[in-house]
Amino acid sequence: MIFTVIIALEFKKSLLVVAERRDTVVQIRSVVMIALLAICRKVIILDLTETDALHILALGAAILALGIVYWLMRDSDQRVGDAAREYRATRSAVVNEHR
C-alpha cells in the first residue's frame, strides 16, 4: 500500500511540473522512477510459490534496465551541471579581466 501512495505522489509531482512549465515534455527521470517503483511494488506483492522463474527473471531484467537508464541520466545531468558551472566561472573570469 505504501508503494502505491509513493507512486501516486511521484506521478502527481511529475504532472505538476508539466503543468507549471506549460510544456508537453515530461521529465524522463520521473517516468523511469515511477516505472521502477511500480515494478518494485510488483516484486514485493508477488507470490513466489505460484510464479515461474521466467517471470521473475523478466522483472529482474526490467529493474536492472531501468536502474541503468536512471543512473546514466543522473550521470549525464551531473556532467551538464559541471560544464555549466565551468562556463560561468570562465565567463566571470574573462569579464573581470576586461575591467
Side-chain angles (χ1 to χ4, degrees):
M1 282 238 183
I2 292 173
F3 269 110
T4 304
V5 172
I6 292 172
I7 291 168
L9 289 173
E10 188 69 31
F11 186 67
K12 178 187 171 208
K13 184 183 91 169
S14 65
L15 288 178
L16 289 175
V17 167
V18 169
E20 188 175 290
R21 290 188 317 180
R22 302 274 183 209
D23 206 357
T24 57
V25 178
V26 178
Q27 292 282 332
I28 299 297
R29 190 183 313 170
S30 294
V31 172
V32 171
M33 180 63 68
I34 292 169
L36 270 170
L37 289 170
I39 293 174
C40 288
R41 179 185 174 275
K42 177 69 175 172
V43 169
I44 288 172
I45 64 172
L46 196 64
D47 185 13
L48 294 177
T49 60
E50 296 183 13
T51 306
D52 59 343
L54 190 59
H55 192 154
I56 295 171
L57 181 66
L59 288 173
I63 290 172
L64 182 64
L66 288 169
I68 290 171
V69 168
Y70 189 81
W71 177 72
L72 288 172
M73 285 188 306
R74 184 190 59 127
D75 191 45
S76 173
D77 287 347
Q78 286 177 349
R79 278 189 267 132
V80 168
D82 291 345
R85 282 190 291 280
E86 184 178 322
Y87 172 75
R88 285 192 297 267
T90 304
R91 192 177 79 191
S92 66
V94 169
V95 168
N96 289 335
E97 187 177 295
H98 282 79
R99 286 185 183 175

